[in-house]
Amino acid sequence: MKITVIGGGSTYTPELVDGFARLGFPVQEIALVDPDTDRLAVIAPLAQRILAEQGHPAGVSATADPDAGVDGADAVLIQLRIGGQEARHLDETLPHECGCVGQETTGAGGLAKALRTVPVVLDLAERIAARAPDAWIVDFANPVGIVTRALLDAGHRAVGLCNVAIGFQRTFADWLGVDHRRITLDHVGLNHLTWERAVRLDGVDVLPDLLADHGEALAERLRLPVEAIRRLGVVPSYYLRYYYAHDQVLAEQLGSTSRARQVAAMERELLELYRDPELAQKPALLEQRGGAYYSEAAVQLVHALTADTGEVRVANVRNNGTLPFLSDDAVIEVPSRIDARGATPLPVAPVEPLFAGLIAQVTAYEELALAAALHGGTDRVATALLAHPLVGQIDLSDQLAQKIVAANHRHLKWV
C-alpha cells in the first residue's frame, strides 16, 4: 500500500508518520510531496528514522512533483497551507482592521484561506484522479468543510477530517478513567462548528455527570463560562467561542501576537531539531504545534476506507438528508460509517433550534464562499462575508472583501 502526503514538508508530518508506525498500519511506501525541497530534505529522513525506530518496514520517498508522488497511491492525505504562515498571519490580523475576529478557518480569515486553497486542491485532485483513480482523498486542509464540498462537487473520492471529535473523546475518557474505545459521541454540526450533545460510555449518556463533575475544567479548556456551558447542556467545540464571545476574543487578539507568528517561530525550532541525525522520534515541542490526535484519526480513517471495515468515525460528509434543514449537497460533520464506498452519515436526532439556526447560516456562507473560490470576483467575496454571522454587515463585507482580495492577489488567478 502507498500513502501520499501532499504538504509532506510540514513540520507536522513526523506526527503523522509516527501514527502510521505506532499503530502498525500496513503501508509499504509513504510518499511526501511538497514544493519546498529544502524542507523535504529534512522531514523525509526523520520520517524514515521514526519508522525504523519503531520497527516499521515502510520506506519514505520525497518529491516536489505531485504527479510522481500520487502515482499508484491508495490514499492521498492533503495537509497543505497555501501562502504559509505569512498568509495565515494576514488571515488572523487583517479582519481586525474592520473590527472582526481574525481566525484562519472561520470568518473573514477562513474565507481568505478558502479562496487560496480550493483551486489548488481541485487541481491536485485532477492529478490524483489521473494517476491513482481508485485512491481516496482525505482532506485535512482548512477550511475542511468548504474544501471537502469542492472535492465532492467535482466528483472526487474524498472525505474530510478534523481532530475536534477525537480530542474530546480522549479527554472525556481520561476524565472518566476508561479506555477511549468505550466512548462514543453525539457529535453534530459543521467543521469547526460542532456540539457534543451526548457522551456515551458503553452506550449510556454520561454527559450530565461530566458537566457536573468536570464543568470547571471544561470551561477552562473552552474559555467559556461554566454556567453557560451547563445551561446549554452540551459541549461546544472551542471554535464556538469566536461566535459566543466575539468581542472578548477580538480584544484578546488585539493585545497579543498572532498564532501564525507563534507557529512560525516554533517551526524554525522544530526544523533545527529535525536536522539532528540522531533524532528518531517526534520531539515534545511538536505537541505545541497543534493537531492533537490527527495522526490517529487519519490512520483510523484510511484503514477503514482501504480495508472496508465499516467502522464508525466522525467525518465531513455529504448531508444527504441527515439534517433536513440543509440541502443534500451540504457537507456536515457527524459520526459516519466508513467502508470501501466512502463515508455514510449515521442518522442524527433532531437538532435544537439554537444550534440548527447557526448551522444553517454558516452552511449558506460556505456555499457562497465556495462560489467565490471557484469563480472569483470581489462581489462574490463580499456576498459570502455578508452571509457569515461573524461579519454580516454590508459596509464591513465590502471593506473586508477589498482587503482580502488585495492581500491575496498573488494567490488568486482571477485578480
Side-chain angles (χ1 to χ4, degrees):
M1 183 176 293
K2 176 181 178 180
I3 303 296
T4 299
V5 182
I6 295 182
S10 167
T11 55
Y12 182 74
T13 296
E15 168 70 31
L16 190 60
V17 172
D18 176 77
F20 282 110
R22 180 165 36 85
L23 299 176
F25 187 81
V27 58
Q28 282 73 52
E29 178 186 355
I30 299 177
L32 306 182
V33 178
D34 202 292
D36 191 332
T37 54
D38 290 338
R39 279 200 174 206
L40 282 180
V42 175
I43 302 293
L46 173 58
Q48 190 68 76
R49 294 195 299 270
I50 289 173
L51 290 164
E53 177 73 11
Q54 300 193 36
H56 196 291
V60 176
S61 61
T63 179
D65 180 3
D67 291 337
V70 303
D71 192 25
D74 296 277
V76 179
L77 313 184
I78 297 180
Q79 60 175 23
L80 51 77
R81 181 185 294 279
I82 305 302
Q85 295 300 330
E86 282 303 313
R88 176 179 181 173
H89 175 72
L90 288 174
D91 295 344
E92 294 176 337
T93 57
L94 185 148
H96 295 165
E97 299 176 15
C98 297
C100 295
V101 159
Q103 213 280 328
E104 65 157 341
T105 66
T106 191
L111 175 56
K113 188 169 189 181
L115 296 176
R116 297 191 303 269
T117 305
V118 166
V120 175
V121 170
L122 288 179
D123 177 70
L124 289 166
E126 290 299 324
R127 294 168 179 253
I128 295 166
R131 298 279 180 157
D134 295 326
W136 282 101
I137 299 173
V138 177
D139 178 62
F140 303 160
N142 283 312
V144 167
I146 295 172
V147 174
T148 301
R149 180 162 181 174
L151 287 165
L152 293 173
D153 284 357
H156 296 292
R157 291 159 55 87
V159 181
L161 183 63
C162 182
N163 70 329
V164 168
I166 192 172
F168 276 133
Q169 180 205 37
R170 300 306 172 85
T171 297
F172 297 149
D174 287 345
W175 287 350
L176 294 168
V178 301
D179 188 300
H180 64 85
R181 288 168 292 190
R182 297 172 61 190
I183 299 291
T184 58
L185 303 174
D186 179 3
H187 177 100
V188 66
L190 311 176
N191 180 242
H192 290 183
L193 194 85
T194 51
W195 297 261
E196 313 303 331
R197 299 186 300 171
V199 178
R200 298 188 177 93
L201 172 60
D202 299 332
V204 177
D205 185 13
V206 295
L207 179 56
D209 294 335
L210 283 169
L211 293 177
D213 298 339
H214 300 277
E216 297 291 346
L218 189 57
E220 182 177 355
R221 174 188 173 117
L222 300 176
R223 302 182 66 191
L224 290 171
V226 65
E227 298 83 4
I229 297 171
R230 286 173 173 154
R231 184 173 70 248
L232 290 172
V234 301
V235 180
S237 89
Y238 40 85
Y239 290 93
L240 265 299
R241 188 169 185 261
Y242 297 108
Y243 299 81
Y244 291 163
H246 176 280
D247 293 352
Q248 181 181 346
V249 172
L250 177 59
E252 293 168 359
Q253 289 182 343
L254 292 173
S256 62
T257 303
S258 72
R259 176 64 177 166
R261 290 287 187 252
Q262 297 171 27
V263 171
M266 195 180 306
E267 287 190 331
R268 289 191 292 271
E269 187 174 351
L270 282 169
L271 286 168
E272 284 304 311
L273 292 173
Y274 293 171
R275 289 187 175 93
D276 180 358
E278 301 301 316
L279 183 67
Q281 57 188 359
K282 59 180 183 180
L285 178 62
L286 187 54
E287 295 179 7
Q288 300 177 33
R289 174 68 176 79
Y293 303 113
Y294 250 133
S295 60
E296 294 187 34
V299 173
Q300 292 169 355
L301 183 60
V302 172
H303 174 66
L305 289 168
T306 56
D308 194 24
T309 67
E311 298 171 29
V312 174
R313 303 292 176 193
V314 172
N316 284 260
V317 298
R318 285 283 199 208
N319 179 44
N320 286 337
T322 307
L323 303 183
F325 54 90
L326 299 181
S327 70
D328 286 348
D329 289 340
V331 167
I332 60 175
E333 187 173 290
V334 294
S336 304
R337 192 165 301 284
I338 314 295
D339 55 28
R341 297 171 298 173
T344 303
L346 299 183
V348 169
V351 179
E352 298 82 346
L354 178 62
F355 315 136
L358 190 52
I359 291 170
Q361 186 174 1
V362 175
T363 298
Y365 150 76
E366 290 190 345
E367 183 172 338
L368 294 166
L370 180 54
L374 291 175
H375 306 298
T378 305
D379 286 349
R380 288 192 179 93
V381 175
T383 299
L385 289 168
L386 186 60
H388 201 294
L390 294 180
V391 183
Q393 299 181 55
I394 291 175
D395 287 346
L396 290 182
S397 301
D398 289 344
Q399 291 175 38
L400 279 169
Q402 295 286 347
K403 291 176 180 293
I404 286 171
V405 171
N408 290 276
H409 69 277
R410 68 189 183 94
H411 299 295
L412 308 177
K413 294 180 180 180
W414 46 269
V415 175

